[in-house]
Each structure stands twice: as C-alpha cells, then as structure tokens.
Coordinates of all heavy atoms in Angstrom, one line a residue:
M1 N 189.5 44.5 210.2 CA 190.0 43.3 210.9 C 189.8 43.5 212.4 O 189.3 42.6 213.1 CB 191.4 43.0 210.4 CG 192.1 41.9 211.3 SD 191.6 40.3 210.6 CE 192.5 39.3 211.7
G2 N 190.3 44.6 212.9 CA 190.2 44.9 214.3 C 191.4 44.5 215.1 O 192.4 44.2 214.5
Q3 N 191.3 44.6 216.3 CA 192.5 44.4 217.2 C 192.0 43.5 218.4 O 190.9 43.7 218.9 CB 192.9 45.8 217.7 CG 193.6 45.9 219.0 CD 194.0 47.3 219.3 OE1 194.2 48.2 218.4 NE2 194.2 47.6 220.5
K4 N 192.9 42.7 218.8 CA 192.6 41.8 219.9 C 193.0 42.6 221.2 O 194.0 43.2 221.3 CB 193.5 40.6 219.9 CG 193.0 39.6 218.7 CD 193.2 38.2 219.1 CE 192.7 37.3 218.0 NZ 191.3 37.2 217.8
I5 N 192.0 42.6 222.2 CA 192.2 43.3 223.4 C 192.0 42.3 224.5 O 191.2 41.3 224.3 CB 191.3 44.5 223.5 CG1 189.9 44.1 223.5 CG2 191.7 45.6 222.5 CD1 188.9 45.3 223.9
T6 N 192.6 42.6 225.7 CA 192.3 41.7 226.8 C 191.6 42.5 227.9 O 192.0 43.7 228.2 CB 193.7 41.2 227.4 OG1 194.3 40.5 226.4 CG2 193.5 40.3 228.6
I7 N 190.5 42.0 228.3 CA 189.8 42.7 229.4 C 189.7 41.7 230.6 O 189.9 40.5 230.5 CB 188.3 43.1 229.0 CG1 187.5 41.9 228.6 CG2 188.4 44.1 227.9 CD1 186.0 42.1 228.5
K8 N 189.4 42.3 231.8 CA 189.4 41.4 233.0 C 188.0 41.7 233.6 O 187.6 42.8 233.9 CB 190.5 41.8 234.0 CG 190.6 40.9 235.2 CD 191.6 41.3 236.1 CE 193.0 40.7 235.7 NZ 194.0 40.9 236.8
I9 N 187.2 40.6 233.9 CA 186.0 40.6 234.6 C 186.0 39.6 235.6 O 186.3 38.4 235.5 CB 184.8 40.3 233.6 CG1 184.8 41.4 232.5 CG2 183.5 40.3 234.4 CD1 183.7 41.1 231.5
A10 N 185.8 40.0 236.9 CA 185.8 39.2 238.1 C 187.1 38.4 238.1 O 187.1 37.2 238.4 CB 184.6 38.3 238.1
E11 N 188.2 39.1 237.9 CA 189.6 38.5 238.0 C 189.9 37.5 236.9 O 190.9 36.8 237.0 CB 189.8 37.9 239.5 CG 189.6 38.9 240.6 CD 190.5 40.2 240.4 OE1 191.7 40.0 240.0 OE2 190.1 41.3 240.7
Q12 N 189.0 37.4 236.0 CA 189.3 36.5 234.8 C 189.6 37.3 233.6 O 188.9 38.3 233.3 CB 188.0 35.6 234.5 CG 187.7 34.6 235.5 CD 188.7 33.4 235.4 OE1 189.5 33.2 234.5 NE2 188.5 32.4 236.3
E13 N 190.7 36.9 232.9 CA 191.0 37.6 231.7 C 190.3 37.0 230.5 O 190.2 35.8 230.4 CB 192.5 37.7 231.5 CG 193.2 38.6 232.5 CD 194.6 38.8 232.2 OE1 195.2 38.2 231.3 OE2 195.2 39.7 232.8
Y14 N 189.9 37.9 229.6 CA 189.2 37.5 228.3 C 189.9 38.2 227.1 O 190.0 39.4 227.2 CB 187.7 37.7 228.3 CG 187.0 37.0 229.5 CD1 186.8 37.6 230.7 CD2 186.6 35.7 229.4 CE1 186.2 37.0 231.8 CE2 186.0 35.0 230.4 CZ 185.8 35.7 231.6 OH 185.2 35.0 232.7
V15 N 190.2 37.5 226.1 CA 190.7 38.1 224.9 C 189.5 38.3 224.0 O 188.7 37.4 223.7 CB 191.8 37.3 224.2 CG1 192.2 37.9 222.9 CG2 193.0 37.1 225.2
M16 N 189.3 39.5 223.5 CA 188.2 39.8 222.6 C 188.7 40.6 221.4 O 189.8 41.2 221.4 CB 187.2 40.7 223.4 CG 186.6 40.1 224.6 SD 185.2 41.0 225.2 CE 184.0 40.6 223.9
N17 N 188.0 40.5 220.3 CA 188.2 41.2 219.1 C 187.4 42.6 219.1 O 186.2 42.6 219.3 CB 187.9 40.5 217.9 CG 188.3 41.1 216.6 OD1 189.4 41.7 216.5 ND2 187.5 41.0 215.6
A18 N 188.2 43.7 219.0 CA 187.5 45.0 218.8 C 187.7 45.5 217.4 O 188.8 45.9 217.0 CB 188.1 45.9 219.8
P19 N 186.6 45.4 216.6 CA 186.8 45.8 215.2 C 187.2 47.2 215.0 O 187.9 47.5 214.0 CB 185.4 45.5 214.6 CG 184.7 44.5 215.5 CD 185.4 44.8 216.8
T20 N 186.8 48.1 215.8 CA 187.1 49.5 215.7 C 187.5 50.1 217.0 O 187.2 49.6 218.1 CB 185.8 50.3 215.2 OG1 184.9 50.4 216.3 CG2 185.3 49.8 213.9
P21 N 188.2 51.3 217.0 CA 188.5 51.9 218.3 C 187.3 52.2 219.1 O 187.3 52.1 220.4 CB 189.2 53.2 217.9 CG 189.8 52.9 216.5 CD 188.8 52.0 215.8
R22 N 186.1 52.5 218.5 CA 184.9 52.8 219.2 C 184.5 51.5 220.0 O 184.0 51.5 221.1 CB 183.8 53.3 218.3 CG 182.5 53.6 218.9 CD 182.5 54.9 219.7 NE 181.2 55.0 220.4 CZ 180.3 55.9 220.0 NH1 180.5 56.6 218.9 NH2 179.2 56.0 220.6
D23 N 184.6 50.4 219.2 CA 184.2 49.1 219.8 C 185.1 48.8 221.0 O 184.6 48.3 222.0 CB 184.2 48.0 218.8 CG 183.2 48.1 217.8 OD1 182.1 48.6 218.1 OD2 183.4 47.6 216.6
E24 N 186.4 49.1 220.9 CA 187.3 48.8 222.0 C 186.9 49.7 223.3 O 186.9 49.1 224.3 CB 188.7 49.1 221.6 CG 189.7 48.9 222.7 CD 191.2 49.2 222.4 OE1 191.5 49.6 221.2 OE2 192.0 49.2 223.3
E25 N 186.6 50.9 223.0 CA 186.2 51.8 224.1 C 184.9 51.3 224.7 O 184.8 51.2 225.9 CB 185.9 53.2 223.5 CG 185.5 54.2 224.5 CD 185.3 55.6 223.8 OE1 185.9 55.9 222.8 OE2 184.3 56.3 224.4
D26 N 184.0 50.8 223.9 CA 182.7 50.3 224.5 C 183.0 49.0 225.3 O 182.4 48.8 226.3 CB 181.7 50.0 223.3 CG 181.2 51.2 222.7 OD1 181.4 52.4 223.2 OD2 180.6 51.1 221.6
I27 N 183.8 48.1 224.8 CA 184.1 46.9 225.5 C 184.7 47.2 226.8 O 184.4 46.6 227.9 CB 185.0 46.0 224.6 CG1 184.2 45.4 223.4 CG2 185.5 44.8 225.4 CD1 185.0 44.8 222.3
R28 N 185.7 48.1 226.8 CA 186.4 48.4 228.0 C 185.5 49.1 229.1 O 185.6 48.8 230.2 CB 187.7 49.2 227.7 CG 188.7 48.4 227.0 CD 190.1 49.2 226.9 NE 191.0 48.6 226.1 CZ 191.7 47.5 226.4 NH1 191.6 47.0 227.6 NH2 192.6 46.9 225.6
L29 N 184.6 49.9 228.5 CA 183.7 50.6 229.4 C 182.7 49.6 230.0 O 182.5 49.6 231.2 CB 183.0 51.7 228.7 CG 181.9 52.4 229.4 CD1 182.5 53.2 230.6 CD2 181.2 53.5 228.6
A30 N 182.2 48.7 229.2 CA 181.3 47.6 229.7 C 182.0 46.8 230.8 O 181.3 46.5 231.8 CB 180.8 46.8 228.5
A31 N 183.3 46.4 230.6 CA 184.0 45.6 231.5 C 184.1 46.3 232.8 O 183.9 45.8 233.9 CB 185.3 45.2 231.0
S32 N 184.4 47.6 232.7 CA 184.5 48.5 233.9 C 183.3 48.5 234.7 O 183.2 48.4 235.9 CB 185.0 49.9 233.5 OG 185.1 50.7 234.6
I33 N 182.2 48.8 234.0 CA 180.9 48.8 234.6 C 180.5 47.5 235.4 O 180.0 47.5 236.5 CB 179.8 49.3 233.6 CG1 180.0 50.7 233.2 CG2 178.4 49.0 234.2 CD1 179.2 51.1 232.0
I34 N 180.8 46.4 234.6 CA 180.4 45.1 235.2 C 181.3 44.9 236.5 O 180.7 44.4 237.5 CB 180.7 44.0 234.2 CG1 179.7 44.0 233.1 CG2 180.7 42.6 234.8 CD1 180.0 43.2 231.9
N35 N 182.6 45.2 236.4 CA 183.4 45.0 237.6 C 182.9 45.9 238.7 O 183.0 45.5 239.9 CB 184.9 45.3 237.2 CG 185.5 44.1 236.5 OD1 185.2 43.0 236.8 ND2 186.2 44.4 235.5
K36 N 182.5 47.1 238.5 CA 182.0 48.0 239.6 C 180.7 47.4 240.2 O 180.6 47.4 241.4 CB 181.7 49.4 239.0 CG 182.9 50.2 238.8 CD 182.7 51.6 238.2 CE 184.0 52.2 237.9 NZ 183.7 53.5 237.2
K37 N 179.9 46.8 239.4 CA 178.6 46.2 239.9 C 179.0 45.0 240.6 O 178.4 44.8 241.7 CB 177.7 45.9 238.7 CG 177.1 47.2 238.1 CD 175.9 46.9 237.2 CE 175.5 48.2 236.7 NZ 174.0 48.5 237.0
I38 N 179.9 44.2 240.2 CA 180.4 43.0 240.9 C 180.9 43.4 242.3 O 180.5 42.8 243.3 CB 181.5 42.3 240.2 CG1 180.9 41.6 238.9 CG2 182.2 41.3 241.1 CD1 181.9 41.0 238.0
N39 N 181.7 44.4 242.3 CA 182.3 44.9 243.6 C 181.2 45.4 244.5 O 181.2 45.2 245.7 CB 183.4 45.9 243.4 CG 184.6 45.4 242.8 OD1 184.9 44.2 242.9 ND2 185.3 46.2 242.0
G40 N 180.2 46.1 243.9 CA 179.1 46.6 244.7 C 178.2 45.5 245.3 O 177.9 45.5 246.5
F41 N 178.0 44.4 244.5 CA 177.2 43.3 245.1 C 178.0 42.5 246.1 O 177.4 41.9 247.0 CB 176.7 42.4 244.0 CG 175.5 43.0 243.2 CD1 175.5 43.4 242.0 CD2 174.3 43.0 243.9 CE1 174.4 43.9 241.3 CE2 173.1 43.6 243.3 CZ 173.2 44.0 242.0
I42 N 179.3 42.4 245.9 CA 180.1 41.7 246.8 C 180.1 42.3 248.2 O 180.0 41.8 249.2 CB 181.6 41.5 246.3 CG1 181.7 40.5 245.2 CG2 182.6 41.2 247.5 CD1 183.0 40.4 244.5
A43 N 180.2 43.7 248.1 CA 180.1 44.5 249.4 C 178.7 44.4 250.0 O 178.6 44.4 251.3 CB 180.4 46.0 249.1
K44 N 177.7 44.4 249.2 CA 176.3 44.3 249.7 C 175.9 42.9 250.3 O 175.1 42.8 251.2 CB 175.3 44.8 248.6 CG 173.9 44.9 249.0 CD 173.1 45.5 247.9 CE 171.7 45.7 248.4 NZ 170.9 46.4 247.3
Y45 N 176.5 41.9 249.6 CA 176.1 40.5 249.9 C 177.4 39.7 250.2 O 177.8 38.8 249.5 CB 175.4 39.9 248.9 CG 174.1 40.5 248.5 CD1 173.9 41.3 247.3 CD2 173.0 40.5 249.3 CE1 172.8 41.9 246.9 CE2 171.8 41.1 249.0 CZ 171.7 41.9 247.9 OH 170.5 42.5 247.5
P46 N 178.1 40.0 251.3 CA 179.4 39.3 251.6 C 179.1 37.9 251.8 O 178.0 37.5 252.4 CB 179.9 40.0 252.8 CG 178.7 40.7 253.5 CD 177.8 41.0 252.3
G47 N 180.0 37.0 251.4 CA 179.9 35.6 251.6 C 179.2 34.9 250.4 O 179.2 33.6 250.4
R48 N 178.5 35.6 249.5 CA 177.9 35.0 248.4 C 179.0 34.5 247.4 O 180.0 35.1 247.2 CB 177.0 35.9 247.7 CG 175.8 36.4 248.4 CD 174.8 35.3 248.4 NE 173.5 35.8 249.0 CZ 172.3 35.3 248.5 NH1 172.3 34.4 247.7 NH2 171.3 35.9 249.1
N49 N 178.7 33.4 246.7 CA 179.6 32.9 245.7 C 179.6 33.8 244.5 O 178.6 34.5 244.2 CB 179.5 31.4 245.5 CG 178.2 31.1 244.8 OD1 177.7 31.8 243.9 ND2 177.6 30.0 245.3
M50 N 180.6 33.6 243.6 CA 180.7 34.4 242.4 C 179.5 34.1 241.4 O 179.0 35.0 240.7 CB 182.0 34.2 241.7 CG 182.3 35.2 240.6 SD 182.1 37.0 241.0 CE 183.4 37.2 242.1
V51 N 179.0 33.0 241.4 CA 177.8 32.6 240.5 C 176.6 33.5 241.0 O 175.9 34.1 240.1 CB 177.5 31.1 240.6 CG1 176.2 30.8 239.9 CG2 178.6 30.3 240.0
D52 N 176.4 33.6 242.3 CA 175.3 34.4 242.8 C 175.5 35.9 242.4 O 174.7 36.6 242.0 CB 175.1 34.3 244.3 CG 174.6 33.0 244.7 OD1 174.0 32.2 243.9 OD2 174.7 32.6 245.9
I53 N 176.7 36.4 242.6 CA 177.1 37.7 242.3 C 176.9 38.0 240.9 O 176.3 39.0 240.5 CB 178.5 38.1 242.8 CG1 178.7 37.9 244.3 CG2 178.9 39.5 242.3 CD1 177.9 38.8 245.1
L54 N 177.4 37.2 240.0 CA 177.2 37.4 238.5 C 175.8 37.3 238.2 O 175.3 38.0 237.3 CB 178.1 36.4 237.8 CG 179.6 36.6 237.9 CD1 180.4 35.5 237.2 CD2 180.0 37.9 237.3
S55 N 175.0 36.5 238.8 CA 173.6 36.4 238.5 C 172.9 37.7 238.9 O 172.0 38.2 238.1 CB 172.9 35.2 239.4 OG 173.4 34.0 238.9
F56 N 173.3 38.3 240.0 CA 172.7 39.6 240.4 C 173.1 40.7 239.4 O 172.3 41.5 239.1 CB 173.3 40.1 241.8 CG 172.8 39.2 242.9 CD1 173.6 39.0 244.0 CD2 171.5 38.6 243.0 CE1 173.2 38.3 245.1 CE2 171.1 37.8 244.0 CZ 171.9 37.6 245.1
V57 N 174.3 40.7 239.0 CA 174.8 41.6 237.9 C 174.0 41.4 236.6 O 173.4 42.4 236.0 CB 176.3 41.5 237.7 CG1 176.7 42.4 236.5 CG2 177.1 41.9 238.9
A58 N 173.8 40.2 236.2 CA 173.0 39.9 235.0 C 171.6 40.4 235.1 O 171.1 41.0 234.1 CB 173.1 38.4 234.6
L59 N 171.0 40.1 236.2 CA 169.6 40.5 236.4 C 169.5 42.0 236.4 O 168.6 42.6 235.8 CB 169.0 39.9 237.7 CG 167.6 40.3 238.1 CD1 166.7 39.8 237.0 CD2 167.3 39.7 239.4
N60 N 170.4 42.6 237.2 CA 170.3 44.1 237.2 C 170.6 44.8 235.9 O 169.8 45.7 235.5 CB 171.5 44.6 238.2 CG 171.5 46.0 238.5 OD1 172.1 46.8 237.7 ND2 170.8 46.5 239.5
E61 N 171.5 44.3 235.0 CA 171.7 44.8 233.7 C 170.5 44.5 232.8 O 170.2 45.3 232.0 CB 173.0 44.2 233.1 CG 174.3 44.8 233.7 CD 174.3 46.3 233.6 OE1 174.3 46.8 232.4 OE2 174.3 47.0 234.6
S62 N 169.9 43.3 232.9 CA 168.7 43.0 232.1 C 167.6 43.9 232.4 O 166.9 44.4 231.5 CB 168.3 41.6 232.4 OG 169.3 40.7 231.9
I63 N 167.3 44.2 233.7 CA 166.3 45.2 234.1 C 166.6 46.5 233.5 O 165.7 47.2 233.0 CB 166.2 45.2 235.6 CG1 165.6 43.9 236.2 CG2 165.3 46.4 236.1 CD1 165.7 43.7 237.7
S64 N 167.8 47.0 233.6 CA 168.2 48.3 233.1 C 167.9 48.3 231.5 O 167.4 49.3 231.0 CB 169.6 48.6 233.3 OG 169.9 48.8 234.7
S65 N 168.3 47.2 230.9 CA 168.1 47.2 229.4 C 166.6 47.2 229.0 O 166.2 47.9 228.1 CB 168.7 45.9 228.9 OG 168.5 45.7 227.5
I66 N 165.8 46.5 229.8 CA 164.4 46.5 229.5 C 163.8 47.9 229.7 O 163.0 48.4 229.0 CB 163.7 45.5 230.4 CG1 164.0 44.0 229.9 CG2 162.1 45.7 230.4 CD1 163.7 43.0 230.9
S67 N 164.2 48.5 230.8 CA 163.7 49.9 231.1 C 164.1 50.8 230.0 O 163.2 51.7 229.6 CB 164.3 50.3 232.5 OG 163.9 51.6 232.8
L68 N 165.4 50.8 229.5 CA 165.8 51.7 228.5 C 165.0 51.4 227.2 O 164.7 52.3 226.5 CB 167.3 51.6 228.2 CG 168.1 52.2 229.3 CD1 169.6 51.9 229.0 CD2 167.9 53.7 229.3
Q69 N 164.7 50.1 226.9 CA 164.0 49.8 225.7 C 162.6 50.3 225.8 O 162.1 50.9 224.8 CB 163.9 48.2 225.6 CG 163.4 47.7 224.3 CD 164.6 47.6 223.3 OE1 165.6 47.2 223.7 NE2 164.3 48.0 222.1
R70 N 162.0 50.3 226.9 CA 160.6 50.9 227.1 C 160.6 52.4 226.9 O 159.7 52.9 226.3 CB 160.0 50.5 228.4 CG 159.6 49.1 228.5 CD 158.8 48.8 229.8 NE 158.4 47.4 229.7 CZ 158.2 46.6 230.8 NH1 158.5 47.1 232.0 NH2 157.7 45.4 230.6
K71 N 161.6 53.0 227.4 CA 161.7 54.4 227.3 C 161.9 54.8 225.8 O 161.3 55.8 225.3 CB 162.9 55.0 228.2 CG 162.6 55.0 229.6 CD 163.8 55.5 230.5 CE 163.5 55.4 232.0 NZ 164.6 55.8 232.7
C72 N 162.8 54.1 225.1 CA 163.0 54.3 223.7 C 161.7 54.2 222.9 O 161.4 55.0 222.0 CB 164.1 53.4 223.1 SG 165.8 53.9 223.7
N73 N 161.0 53.1 223.2 CA 159.7 52.9 222.6 C 158.7 54.0 222.8 O 158.0 54.4 221.9 CB 159.1 51.5 223.0 CG 159.8 50.4 222.4 OD1 160.6 50.5 221.3 ND2 159.7 49.2 223.0
D74 N 158.7 54.5 224.0 CA 157.8 55.6 224.4 C 158.2 56.9 223.7 O 157.4 57.6 223.1 CB 157.9 55.9 225.9 CG 157.2 54.8 226.8 OD1 156.5 54.0 226.2 OD2 157.4 54.8 228.0
I75 N 159.5 57.1 223.5 CA 160.0 58.3 222.8 C 159.6 58.2 221.3 O 159.2 59.2 220.7 CB 161.5 58.5 223.0 CG1 161.8 58.9 224.5 CG2 162.0 59.5 222.0 CD1 163.2 59.0 224.9
K76 N 159.8 57.0 220.8 CA 159.4 56.7 219.4 C 158.0 57.0 219.1 O 157.6 57.6 218.1 CB 159.8 55.3 219.0 CG 159.5 54.9 217.6 CD 159.9 53.5 217.3 CE 159.1 52.9 216.3 NZ 157.9 52.2 216.7
D77 N 157.1 56.5 220.0 CA 155.7 56.7 219.9 C 155.4 58.2 220.0 O 154.5 58.7 219.2 CB 154.9 55.9 221.0 CG 155.0 54.4 220.8 OD1 155.4 53.9 219.7 OD2 154.7 53.7 221.8
E78 N 156.0 58.9 220.9 CA 155.7 60.4 221.0 C 156.2 61.0 219.7 O 155.5 62.0 219.3 CB 156.5 60.9 222.2 CG 155.8 60.5 223.5 CD 156.6 61.0 224.7 OE1 157.3 62.1 224.6 OE2 156.6 60.4 225.8
A79 N 157.3 60.7 219.2 CA 157.8 61.3 217.9 C 156.9 61.0 216.8 O 156.6 62.0 216.0 CB 159.2 60.8 217.6
E80 N 156.4 59.8 216.7 CA 155.4 59.5 215.7 C 154.1 60.3 215.8 O 153.5 60.8 214.8 CB 155.1 58.0 215.6 CG 156.2 57.2 215.1 CD 156.1 55.7 215.3 OE1 155.1 55.3 216.0 OE2 156.9 54.9 214.8
E81 N 153.6 60.5 217.0 CA 152.5 61.3 217.2 C 152.7 62.7 216.9 O 151.8 63.4 216.3 CB 152.0 61.1 218.7 CG 150.7 61.9 219.0 CD 150.2 61.7 220.4 OE1 150.8 60.9 221.2 OE2 149.3 62.5 220.8
L82 N 153.8 63.2 217.3 CA 154.2 64.7 216.9 C 154.2 64.8 215.4 O 153.7 65.8 214.9 CB 155.5 65.1 217.6 CG 155.4 65.4 219.1 CD1 156.9 65.5 219.6 CD2 154.6 66.6 219.4
Q83 N 154.8 63.8 214.7 CA 154.8 63.9 213.2 C 153.5 63.9 212.7 O 153.2 64.7 211.7 CB 155.6 62.7 212.7 CG 155.8 62.6 211.2 CD 156.7 63.8 210.7 OE1 157.6 64.2 211.4 NE2 156.3 64.3 209.5
R84 N 152.6 63.0 213.2 CA 151.2 63.1 212.6 C 150.5 64.4 213.0 O 149.8 65.0 212.1 CB 150.4 62.0 213.3 CG 150.7 60.6 212.7 CD 149.6 59.5 213.3 NE 149.6 59.4 214.7 CZ 150.4 58.6 215.4 NH1 151.3 57.9 214.8 NH2 150.3 58.5 216.7
N85 N 150.8 65.0 214.1 CA 150.2 66.3 214.5 C 150.6 67.4 213.5 O 149.9 68.2 213.1 CB 150.4 66.6 215.9 CG 149.7 65.8 216.9 OD1 148.7 65.1 216.5 ND2 150.1 65.8 218.2
I86 N 151.9 67.3 213.3 CA 152.5 68.3 212.3 C 151.9 68.2 210.9 O 151.5 69.2 210.3 CB 154.0 68.3 212.3 CG1 154.6 68.7 213.6 CG2 154.6 69.0 211.2 CD1 156.1 68.4 213.8
E87 N 151.8 67.0 210.5 CA 151.3 66.7 209.1 C 149.8 67.2 209.0 O 149.5 67.8 208.1 CB 151.4 65.2 208.8 CG 152.8 64.8 208.5 CD 153.0 63.3 208.3 OE1 152.1 62.6 208.5 OE2 154.2 62.9 208.1
N88 N 149.1 66.9 210.1 CA 147.7 67.3 210.1 C 147.6 68.8 210.1 O 146.7 69.4 209.4 CB 146.9 66.8 211.3 CG 146.7 65.3 211.2 OD1 146.7 64.7 210.1 ND2 146.5 64.6 212.3
Y89 N 148.4 69.5 210.9 CA 148.4 70.9 211.0 C 148.8 71.6 209.6 O 148.1 72.5 209.1 CB 149.5 71.4 212.0 CG 149.6 72.9 212.2 CD1 148.6 73.6 212.8 CD2 150.6 73.6 211.6 CE1 148.7 75.0 213.0 CE2 150.7 75.0 211.7 CZ 149.8 75.7 212.4 OH 149.8 77.0 212.5
I90 N 149.8 71.0 208.9 CA 150.2 71.5 207.6 C 149.0 71.3 206.6 O 148.7 72.2 205.8 CB 151.5 70.8 207.2 CG1 152.6 71.3 208.0 CG2 151.7 71.1 205.7 CD1 153.9 70.6 207.8
N91 N 148.4 70.1 206.7 CA 147.3 69.8 205.8 C 146.1 70.8 206.0 O 145.5 71.2 205.1 CB 146.8 68.4 205.9 CG 147.8 67.4 205.3 OD1 148.5 67.7 204.4 ND2 147.8 66.2 205.8
D92 N 145.9 71.2 207.3 CA 144.8 72.1 207.6 C 145.1 73.5 207.0 O 144.2 74.2 206.6 CB 144.6 72.2 209.1 CG 143.9 70.9 209.6 OD1 143.3 70.2 208.9 OD2 143.9 70.7 210.9
I93 N 146.4 73.9 207.1 CA 146.8 75.1 206.6 C 146.6 75.2 205.1 O 146.2 76.3 204.5 CB 148.3 75.5 207.0 CG1 148.5 75.7 208.4 CG2 148.8 76.7 206.1 CD1 149.9 75.9 208.9
K94 N 146.9 74.2 204.3 CA 146.8 74.1 202.9 C 145.3 74.2 202.4 O 145.1 74.5 201.3 CB 147.4 72.8 202.4 CG 148.9 72.8 202.5 CD 149.5 71.5 201.9 CE 151.0 71.5 202.0 NZ 151.6 70.2 201.5
K95 N 144.4 73.9 203.3 CA 142.9 73.9 202.9 C 142.4 75.2 202.7 O 142.6 76.2 203.1 CB 142.1 73.1 203.8 CG 142.4 71.6 203.9 CD 141.5 70.9 204.8 CE 141.9 69.4 204.9 NZ 141.1 68.7 205.8

C-alpha cells in the first residue's frame, strides 16, 4: 500500500505515495536535488520568474537523463561485443 509523504519543491508542498521505504528515499532525494538546482539557477539568474527557473531545471535534468541513457547504451553495446568475443574464443578453443 505504501505511505503518504509530503515533500516541498520550490516552497510548494506535495503529498505523494511512497510504496516502499526505498521509494520514499528516492522521492526525498529527488526533491532535494531539484531544490538545490532551483536555488542554483535562482542565484545564477536573479530576477527570473519561477516558470523560467523550473524550465531551466527541467531542461538540465532532461539533458542529464539523455546523457546517462546514451552511456548505458554504450556500456550495453560493449558488454554484448565482449560476450560475442568470449563466445568466439571458446568456440575456437573447442575446435
């Protein structure tokens, strides 16, 4: 069932359901990271409205996500190539 938790992002409170303690930890960590990025952009771009700041945070997080996705795909491709090399090596030994 989970537990209802309250997080605060940009001075707004949100009630969320955390199905497991791990999920609660992840949600709280995500909120903390978002708030730090918000504060960083507020300091970097004083006078900008919150919509602009949140747009910068969303763009920054999306770029990070895309970068990590690409790195994961590269690692997966390398692992598959290593697997093929190992299988070829073992097949050569058996001959």
